[in-house]
Amino acid sequence: MTTGTDIPHKTMGNYAHVNGLNMYYEIHGQGQPLVLIHGAFSAIGSSFGAMLPGLAKDRQVIGVDLQAHGHTADIDRPLTLEQMADDIAALLQQLNIKSADVFGYSLGAGVGVHMVLRRPELVRKLVLASITYNKAGFYPGFLDGMGNLSPDMMVGSPWHEEYMRIAPHPEDFPKLFSKVMHLNMNIPDLSSEAIRSIKAPTMIIAGDSDIVQPEHAVEMFRLLGGGVIGDLVGLPKSRLAILPGTTHSTMVTRGDWLVPMITEFLDAPAAVEA
């Protein structure tokens, strides 16, 4: 797994006290800030190790470990998308960052959506990989199948191995599992009006064999202004990418595809995307 150990201008092992949480974060590179928000059970390395070196070449990448994930210890509160969005907003304020790009994967994409809805002034551009805005976006039966999982089934996975290696309390993995399952079963549905209200240019990414139905990714793209004849009216401010031969878990290995697409999107001037 690529960890970005050769990246210049790197700061490792930082903690910020936000909203009662001692949140771990890393800063790599210099330039326009880009916040990376990982998936469930994951952390910075397992979600973004294949992409972080490329993304940090020309920008300041800020990776975070969410509550109870990775290096960040749990506290006595449930996991909610809204609270985790507020945690990242508080971190940016501590770092004196007035606006940043945000790249969220899976759970992190949900956090990113709630961040832009709650604190739109903090988000310049938004990249959302494997995202749904309501439960109907998942394939039928997916959430029911999640309810049949147990912590033991995670043993030997990259996420469990990472947690055992870096978590301050490795014995807490069953507690993390329980909190993530509760979050998954209680994901708040957002309205189409809420998605339409997002002003930040947004890139929607899904695998063609993801847990998210491709039709749902197209639906979100349309709600964000996509679905036009670009040669006649110009490109919309938002973009859509469906990666071929890509599942939910292999999405994070597609750094050779994702880094150039995301970099080009983030670097594109606003006038081009109007």
Side-chain angles (χ1 to χ4, degrees):
M1 178 182 296
T2 302
T3 61
T5 53
D6 297 327
I7 299 173
H9 311 298
K10 175 183 61 178
T11 304
M12 300 290 288
N14 301 283
Y15 288 87
H17 193 69
V18 295
N19 301 327
L21 181 72
N22 204 28
M23 174 181 276
Y24 176 88
Y25 69 97
E26 299 175 2
I27 297 179
H28 302 256
Q30 294 180 328
Q32 167 66 30
L34 169 64
V35 179
L36 304 182
I37 314 177
H38 60 74
F41 303 115
S42 186
I44 300 165
S46 54
S47 280
F48 298 109
M51 292 173 268
L52 202 157
L55 293 173
K57 283 183 178 178
D58 299 304
R59 65 193 73 246
Q60 181 188 62
V61 173
I62 304 164
V64 302
D65 281 353
L66 298 170
Q67 175 191 339
H69 289 77
H71 296 85
T72 301
D74 197 11
I75 59 175
D76 187 18
R77 70 180 190 192
L79 290 180
T80 70
L81 299 178
E82 298 90 339
Q83 181 63 66
M84 289 185 281
D86 288 348
D87 292 341
I88 295 173
L91 171 64
L92 292 181
Q93 289 180 308
Q94 282 200 26
L95 296 176
N96 199 28
I97 295 174
K98 295 183 173 20
S99 176
D101 299 323
V102 173
F103 174 17
Y105 161 64
S106 193
L107 168 67
V111 174
V113 167
H114 282 270
M115 185 174 170
V116 77
L117 291 175
R118 296 166 77 82
R119 298 294 303 275
E121 76 282 2
L122 290 179
V123 181
R124 190 185 76 102
K125 290 188 178 183
L126 189 61
V127 179
L128 303 172
S130 298
I131 177 68
T132 66
Y133 74 92
N134 59 37
K135 298 180 189 66
F138 294 112
Y139 278 98
F142 169 72
L143 290 176
D144 291 338
M146 289 287 288
N148 295 323
L149 295 179
S150 69
D152 291 343
M153 295 178 181
M154 301 287 291
V155 174
S157 69
W159 312 286
H160 183 266
E161 185 279 329
E162 181 183 45
Y163 186 89
M164 292 295 107
R165 179 168 45 85
I166 67 175
H169 304 289
E171 69 277 7
D172 283 350
F173 186 80
K175 184 178 178 182
L176 167 63
F177 185 90
S178 177
K179 285 192 171 185
V180 170
M181 289 299 104
H182 184 268
L183 171 63
N184 286 340
M185 296 302 122
N186 294 276
I187 295 174
D189 284 347
L190 295 173
S191 67
S192 57
E193 290 75 17
I195 302 303
R196 285 196 190 97
S197 75
I198 296 174
K199 303 303 181 187
T202 302
M203 184 174 189
I204 301 294
I205 304 171
D208 62 357
S209 300
D210 211 320
I211 62 175
V212 177
Q213 300 182 75
E215 296 88 347
H216 188 76
V218 173
E219 179 184 341
M220 284 195 71
F221 176 56
R222 291 183 181 278
L223 291 173
L224 291 162
V228 299
I229 303 174
D231 286 332
L232 298 182
V233 301
L235 289 173
K237 67 179 183 179
S238 296
R239 301 188 182 185
L240 171 67
I242 305 292
L243 306 187
T246 301
T247 69
H248 188 64
S249 60
T250 61
M251 171 77 70
V252 299
T253 70
R254 301 300 197 187
D256 53 341
W257 292 349
L258 289 173
V259 169
M261 286 194 295
I262 291 171
T263 298
E264 196 275 334
F265 168 66
L266 295 179
D267 288 345
V272 173
E273 297 177 295

